[in-house]
Amino acid sequence: MNDRLSYSSALVESLPAPHLLEIVTRHTGATICVVDNDLNILYANEAYANWFKARPSELLGRTLISLYSEAARVQFQPHINRALAGHEVTYQRQICGSDGQEVWFSISLHPWLDRDGQVGGVVNSALEVHELKVTTEALRAANQKLFSHMENSPLAVVELDAQLGLVHCSSRATEWFGWHHASHQGESVLNLVGEGARVTVLRKGLGQLLSGAERQNRVEASFVRPDGSVQHCMWFNSALINLRGETISIMCQIEDITERVAAAERLLHQAQHDSLTGLLNRGAFIVRAQEAVSSLDEADGATDGVVILFMDLDGFKGVNDCYGHHMGDTVLRLVAQRLAHVVRAGDTLARLGGDEFTILMRGNPSPHDLKLFIERLMQAFATPFALPDTDGVRVTLGVSIGVAAHPPLPAQVDELLTRADHAMYEAKRGGKGSVHYAVPSPV
């Protein structure tokens, strides 16, 4: 290393100063000129002179004012003035070449000092950066276009770093979630979304991208808004991977699917509920009963069991015959309301159709508790039902109940429901307001 330095020093010392200056100024790739305080050109290299289709010697003594147009002077004069005041100045501007083409240059102005230490003028060097400038401008325009798309998108857009820290979020993300990249810069999105089952899938999905197990995924998550309402979102997530296969960035595009979820829930509710009374329908009741049977703990028969009560109204046909089906529908809604006040928490009440209702009781109630519950059901019909818009007309109804329980019957929903139905008809034959058990009464 020392030998190289010694050789370089010896080479510099051996070169005449003019020759060394020529090497430096000709082979730097920059246009160079030196002016005094009056902007008279003291030196110009060949690259600088070529811009004016002249030789360097032809420019000596001329002023910058004479070489440039007034428009050009308006651009560079403030920078020249700063340099003459002793400041180093760097700026970029377009310069029109001899072919009429505008070319971008990076221009550096360095004040030079005379022997008294005063500013004697300026060294002007300009390096063509046209391709870089054009590329940079194209990139800036592309980024601006992308930013505009992000801001105008109906989706919220969130960019995360390799630690899931917030890098950028669109204004829609700010509107929906209250996040802002200025105030939440670098904060983990896991902290921002919070804990709980609503976001568990999102946390797992982002973890899959970080680990490299997936390159992209989509997950559904929901958030509680400040007003207490729930917002459902679909997150479309993609990972940016470097050459080493590491995730360095994650882009999340988030769609608000609250209305879609609400519509699906409405459809599900309609599919599972009786449109007249709002109670569960036959299909939903059977599903609930199957779930109850499937969850039975066979090892503890003393506490696990299910009971199905099948109810049919007594005297309801007379309501339809006397007052019409519209009033009959009203009475069915009133019956549903009274039954709903009787059933216990955890019981399932449903309307199977017509004037038939069922109740699913979980657990294995004692004979005494079951008897008290049935008595409360009967008592719900003790008060006549007032018919609206009929000048005080009231109708009295009763109910016949069939009971099927596991144990002792098999833990099969179809079997229990059928036996309860048959037991209800046996109760009908025994007289209005009767109860019949599918097995001998435990009472």
Side-chain angles (χ1 to χ4, degrees):
M1 182 67 179
N2 290 332
D3 292 341
R4 290 182 181 178
L5 288 174
S6 299
Y7 175 77
S8 298
S9 300
L11 181 61
V12 169
E13 292 174 358
S14 68
L15 291 173
H19 185 51
L20 182 60
L21 177 62
E22 181 182 1
I23 292 174
V24 172
T25 60
R26 175 174 290 183
H27 300 289
T28 58
T31 64
I32 300 174
C33 77
V34 181
V35 299
D36 61 17
N37 284 322
D38 297 321
L39 304 187
N40 296 310
I41 297 177
L42 305 179
Y43 171 82
N45 72 349
E46 187 172 335
Y48 186 85
N50 286 341
W51 269 92
F52 302 98
K53 295 183 177 180
R55 293 188 297 274
S57 59
E58 295 174 340
L59 298 182
L60 299 181
R62 297 187 62 179
T63 66
L64 296 184
I65 304 301
S66 66
L67 293 177
Y68 291 94
S69 67
E70 181 177 357
R73 294 197 301 271
V74 168
Q75 291 187 49
F76 70 66
Q77 189 67 57
H79 302 295
I80 291 284
N81 292 341
R82 288 194 70 233
L84 290 174
H87 301 283
E88 292 189 355
V89 179
T90 300
Y91 67 100
Q92 292 182 348
R93 76 178 184 93
Q94 284 181 297
I95 299 176
C96 184
S98 58
D99 58 359
Q101 297 295 317
E102 296 281 347
V103 180
W104 280 99
F105 276 82
S106 177
I107 301 171
S108 297
L109 304 176
H110 298 270
W112 59 269
L113 305 180
D114 60 20
R115 293 177 178 177
D116 297 327
Q118 302 299 313
V119 174
V122 175
V123 178
N124 173 15
S125 62
L127 186 66
E128 183 180 333
V129 292
H130 188 75
E131 291 300 325
L132 176 61
K133 184 70 174 181
V134 169
T135 302
T136 301
E137 284 298 308
L139 180 61
R140 185 199 62 79
N143 285 338
Q144 182 61 38
K145 185 182 295 185
L146 178 60
F147 177 80
S148 179
H149 282 312
M150 289 171 59
E151 289 299 299
N152 294 324
S153 172
L155 307 181
V157 182
V158 174
E159 181 185 356
L160 308 176
D161 60 25
Q163 288 74 45
L164 299 182
L166 185 66
V167 175
H168 177 81
C169 61
S170 66
S171 57
R172 197 168 299 277
T174 301
E175 175 189 347
W176 289 354
F177 311 127
W179 308 341
H180 195 281
H181 48 266
S183 55
H184 295 91
Q185 183 78 32
E187 187 170 351
S188 172
V189 73
L190 299 183
N191 295 334
L192 294 173
V193 301
E195 301 286 346
R198 294 179 184 274
V199 294
T200 298
V201 178
L202 173 60
R203 299 171 75 93
K204 180 179 179 181
L206 294 176
Q208 290 287 91
L209 297 181
L210 278 185
S211 67
E214 295 178 335
R215 293 292 182 92
Q216 59 185 22
N217 58 39
R218 67 175 184 176
V219 296
E220 184 177 338
S222 56
F223 307 88
V224 179
R225 297 187 179 105
D227 63 1
S229 61
V230 177
Q231 181 178 19
H232 298 272
C233 296
M234 183 67 73
W235 288 57
F236 299 88
N237 309 312
S238 59
L240 179 63
I241 310 297
N242 64 15
L243 295 178
R244 294 187 297 274
E246 301 166 335
T247 298
I248 58 175
S249 177
I250 293 176
M251 181 69 75
C252 307
Q253 301 182 70
I254 309 162
E255 180 184 7
D256 184 349
I257 59 171
T258 303
E259 288 301 321
R260 188 189 310 169
V261 170
E265 290 176 347
R266 286 193 295 271
L267 290 174
L268 180 61
H269 186 274
Q270 293 171 5
Q272 294 180 335
H273 290 77
D274 169 44
S275 60
L276 178 63
T277 63
L279 300 179
L280 291 178
N281 58 23
R282 174 185 287 271
F285 178 83
I286 291 176
V287 170
R288 293 283 183 89
Q290 289 172 337
E291 291 174 351
V293 168
S294 299
S295 65
L296 293 176
D297 183 2
E298 299 294 343
D300 190 5
T303 59
D304 287 344
V306 292
V307 177
I308 291 181
L309 292 83
F310 201 115
M311 297 172 286
D312 186 89
L313 303 184
D314 299 326
F316 178 73
K317 184 177 182 299
V319 175
N320 280 336
D321 293 343
C322 293
Y323 304 102
H325 288 279
H326 174 69
M327 196 60 71
D329 289 346
T330 298
V331 170
L332 290 174
R333 284 192 286 267
L334 294 174
V335 169
Q337 292 171 9
R338 291 193 185 182
L339 292 176
H341 282 90
V342 175
V343 295
R344 310 169 307 168
D347 290 345
T348 300
L349 172 63
R351 178 187 175 219
L352 298 191
D355 60 346
E356 295 179 337
F357 297 82
T358 53
I359 295 175
L360 171 69
M361 302 177 68
R362 292 175 177 264
N364 192 14
S366 68
H368 177 70
D369 290 342
L370 183 56
K371 179 181 178 181
L372 291 178
F373 180 74
I374 292 174
E375 288 177 353
R376 288 198 297 273
L377 289 175
M378 294 293 189
Q379 189 63 32
F381 292 86
T383 302
F385 294 85
L387 303 184
D389 303 322
T390 57
D391 294 330
V393 174
R394 302 167 73 86
V395 296
T396 300
L397 299 176
V399 62
S400 297
I401 304 175
V403 183
H406 164 78
L409 294 176
Q412 299 173 1
V413 173
D414 291 342
E415 174 76 9
L416 291 171
L417 193 58
T418 299
R419 294 291 295 271
D421 185 19
H422 292 168
M424 181 272 295
Y425 281 105
E426 289 297 325
K428 285 275 189 187
R429 283 190 282 271
K432 293 182 178 180
S434 299
V435 179
H436 189 83
Y437 292 85
V439 293
S441 173
V443 180

